[in-house]
Amino acid sequence: MPAKPLPDVVAPDLDVLFCGINPSLVSAARGHHFARPGNRFWPALHLAGLTPRRLAPEEDRLLLGHGLGVTNVVDRPTRAAAELTPAELRAGAAALAGLVAEYRPRVLAVLGITAWRVAFDRPRAGMGRQPERVAGAVTWVVPNPSGLNAHFQLPDLARIYGRLRTAGDEGPGRRRRTAGGAAPAGRTHVRPGR
């Protein structure tokens, strides 16, 4: 299987797996998630209490130590997500379901309502917790952290993202972690491709 332009940061049994729409050209070139200047993902995670400090994009692999991971619906980098076709989004949704089934995160957080609606054929879906699960994971659709998303400011993102840590607590055998919690042994996997 060919290497992905931007590898997943994933490990078994994460608290939250964040799922972007697709990599920006900047992120793909730098090899790190949410690397485009102006993206509010990293400050939102810190303000939400999900990381003990604001991480830089180059530190994306440190997310695993906090029970967090990152992937994308579509692997192909673009200048704007609007360049993706519905067929790419639907194919990405199937691949994402396979990834979630394999790694079993408690919560899947899809970053963007339009991508969710198209990829998962849910044209009337709204933000927040979804009635259906993806491969067993409690699924939320949360705002895209792009600086171009003027509908949600940084405090809004932090408040919404902060709710995700406990959003999957109803699952059997699940445990809660704190932002400073150490990762169990073996939580260093970076998935290069599907």
Side-chain angles (χ1 to χ4, degrees):
M1 188 147 314
K4 296 176 71 167
L6 185 60
D8 295 328
V9 177
V10 66
D13 302 318
L14 294 170
D15 291 332
V16 182
L17 177 61
F18 287 95
C19 182
I21 301 168
N22 72 309
S24 70
L25 296 176
V26 172
S27 290
R30 290 177 63 184
H32 296 285
H33 293 270
F34 302 104
R36 186 175 180 166
N39 193 292
R40 300 168 296 171
F41 181 75
W42 300 107
L45 288 188
H46 174 57
L47 290 174
L50 296 174
T51 59
R53 64 178 174 82
R54 180 177 170 173
L55 299 177
E58 295 75 20
E59 298 176 298
D60 55 5
R61 275 95 177 138
L62 295 180
L63 288 173
L64 297 175
H66 304 293
L68 307 173
V70 184
T71 188
N72 287 289
V73 176
V74 175
D75 294 335
R76 181 171 70 93
T78 61
R79 189 173 314 279
E83 296 174 36
L84 300 173
T85 67
E88 284 179 294
L89 288 164
R90 285 190 294 273
L96 176 62
L99 182 78
V100 171
E102 181 179 353
Y103 286 93
R104 304 170 321 277
R106 291 187 317 145
V107 175
L108 172 66
V110 177
L111 301 169
I113 188 64
T114 302
W116 169 260
R117 287 173 176 165
V118 174
F120 289 87
D121 194 26
R122 303 287 186 264
R124 292 185 177 86
M127 287 282 192
R129 186 173 176 159
Q130 301 303 301
E132 57 276 308
R133 292 176 177 238
V134 171
V138 173
T139 302
W140 282 62
V141 176
V142 296
N144 188 314
S146 168
L148 301 175
N149 182 0
H151 297 293
F152 293 91
Q153 299 303 310
L154 183 56
D156 302 319
L157 296 175
R159 179 180 45 78
I160 294 166
Y161 292 7
R163 295 173 58 196
L164 298 172
R165 174 80 68 189
T166 58
D169 281 346
E170 73 278 4
R174 298 299 191 173
R175 64 204 176 285
R176 288 184 54 202
R177 299 159 51 91
T178 62
R187 268 220 173 143
T188 57
H189 186 251
V190 177
R191 184 175 169 92
R194 292 190 187 128

